[in-house]
Coordinates of all heavy atoms in Angstrom, one line a residue:
Chain B
C434 N -71.6 -25.6 -12.2 CA -70.4 -25.6 -11.3 C -70.8 -25.4 -9.9 O -71.4 -24.6 -9.5 CB -69.6 -24.3 -11.7 SG -68.1 -24.0 -10.7
P435 N -70.4 -26.5 -9.1 CA -70.7 -26.6 -7.8 C -70.1 -25.5 -6.8 O -70.5 -25.2 -5.9 CB -70.4 -28.0 -7.3 CG -70.2 -28.8 -8.5 CD -69.8 -27.8 -9.6
W436 N -69.1 -24.8 -7.4 CA -68.4 -23.8 -6.7 C -69.1 -22.4 -7.1 O -68.5 -21.4 -6.7 CB -66.9 -23.8 -7.1 CG -66.2 -25.0 -6.5 CD1 -66.0 -26.2 -7.1 CD2 -65.7 -25.2 -5.1 NE1 -65.4 -27.1 -6.2 CE2 -65.2 -26.4 -5.1 CE3 -65.6 -24.2 -4.1 CZ2 -64.6 -26.9 -3.8 CZ3 -65.0 -24.7 -3.0 CH2 -64.5 -26.0 -2.9
G437 N -70.0 -22.4 -7.8 CA -70.8 -21.2 -8.1 C -70.1 -20.3 -9.1 O -70.3 -19.1 -9.2
I438 N -69.1 -20.8 -9.9 CA -68.2 -20.0 -10.7 C -68.8 -20.0 -12.2 O -69.3 -19.0 -12.7 CB -66.8 -20.4 -10.7 CG1 -66.3 -20.2 -9.3 CG2 -65.9 -19.6 -11.6 CD1 -64.9 -20.8 -9.1
A439 N -68.8 -21.2 -12.9 CA -69.2 -21.3 -14.3 C -70.6 -21.7 -14.4 O -70.9 -22.8 -14.7 CB -68.3 -22.3 -15.0
T440 N -71.4 -20.8 -13.9 CA -72.9 -21.0 -13.9 C -73.6 -19.6 -13.9 O -73.1 -18.7 -13.5 CB -73.2 -21.8 -12.5 OG1 -74.6 -21.9 -12.6 CG2 -72.9 -21.0 -11.3
T441 N -74.9 -19.7 -14.3 CA -75.7 -18.6 -14.1 C -76.9 -18.9 -13.3 O -77.8 -18.0 -13.1 CB -76.1 -18.0 -15.5 OG1 -76.8 -19.1 -16.2 CG2 -74.9 -17.6 -16.4
D442 N -76.9 -20.0 -12.6 CA -78.0 -20.4 -11.7 C -77.8 -19.4 -10.5 O -76.8 -19.6 -9.8 CB -77.8 -21.9 -11.5 CG -78.9 -22.4 -10.4 OD1 -79.3 -21.6 -9.6 OD2 -79.3 -23.5 -10.7
P443 N -78.9 -18.7 -10.3 CA -78.8 -17.8 -9.2 C -78.7 -18.4 -7.8 O -78.0 -18.0 -6.9 CB -80.2 -17.1 -9.2 CG -81.1 -17.7 -10.0 CD -80.3 -18.7 -10.9
W444 N -79.1 -19.7 -7.8 CA -79.0 -20.4 -6.4 C -77.5 -20.8 -6.2 O -77.0 -20.6 -5.2 CB -79.9 -21.6 -6.3 CG -80.0 -22.4 -5.1 CD1 -80.3 -22.0 -3.9 CD2 -79.3 -23.6 -4.8 NE1 -80.1 -22.8 -3.0 CE2 -79.5 -23.9 -3.5 CE3 -78.7 -24.6 -5.8 CZ2 -79.0 -25.2 -2.9 CZ3 -78.3 -25.7 -5.1 CH2 -78.4 -26.1 -3.8
I445 N -77.0 -21.4 -7.3 CA -75.6 -21.9 -7.1 C -74.6 -20.7 -7.1 O -73.7 -20.8 -6.3 CB -75.2 -22.8 -8.3 CG1 -76.2 -23.8 -8.6 CG2 -73.9 -23.5 -7.9 CD1 -76.0 -24.7 -9.8
S446 N -74.8 -19.7 -7.9 CA -73.9 -18.7 -8.0 C -73.7 -17.8 -6.6 O -72.8 -17.1 -6.6 CB -74.2 -17.7 -9.1 OG -75.5 -17.1 -9.0
K447 N -74.7 -18.0 -5.7 CA -74.6 -17.4 -4.4 C -73.4 -17.8 -3.6 O -73.0 -17.3 -2.7 CB -75.8 -17.6 -3.7 CG -76.9 -16.6 -3.8 CD -78.0 -16.8 -2.6 CE -79.4 -16.4 -3.3 NZ -80.4 -17.1 -2.7
R448 N -72.8 -18.9 -4.2 CA -71.7 -19.6 -3.3 C -70.5 -18.8 -3.5 O -69.5 -18.9 -2.8 CB -71.4 -21.1 -3.9 CG -72.7 -21.9 -3.7 CD -72.3 -23.2 -4.2 NE -73.5 -24.1 -4.0 CZ -73.6 -25.4 -4.2 NH1 -72.7 -26.0 -4.8 NH2 -74.9 -26.0 -3.9
V449 N -70.5 -17.8 -4.5 CA -69.3 -16.9 -4.6 C -69.8 -15.6 -4.0 O -70.6 -14.9 -4.5 CB -68.9 -16.7 -6.0 CG1 -67.8 -15.5 -6.1 CG2 -68.3 -17.9 -6.6

Side-chain angles (χ1 to χ4, degrees):
Chain B
C434 176
W436 290 90
I438 297 168
T440 182
T441 55
D442 181 322
W444 181 70
I445 318 176
S446 58
K447 272 193 210 148
R448 295 177 183 187
V449 172

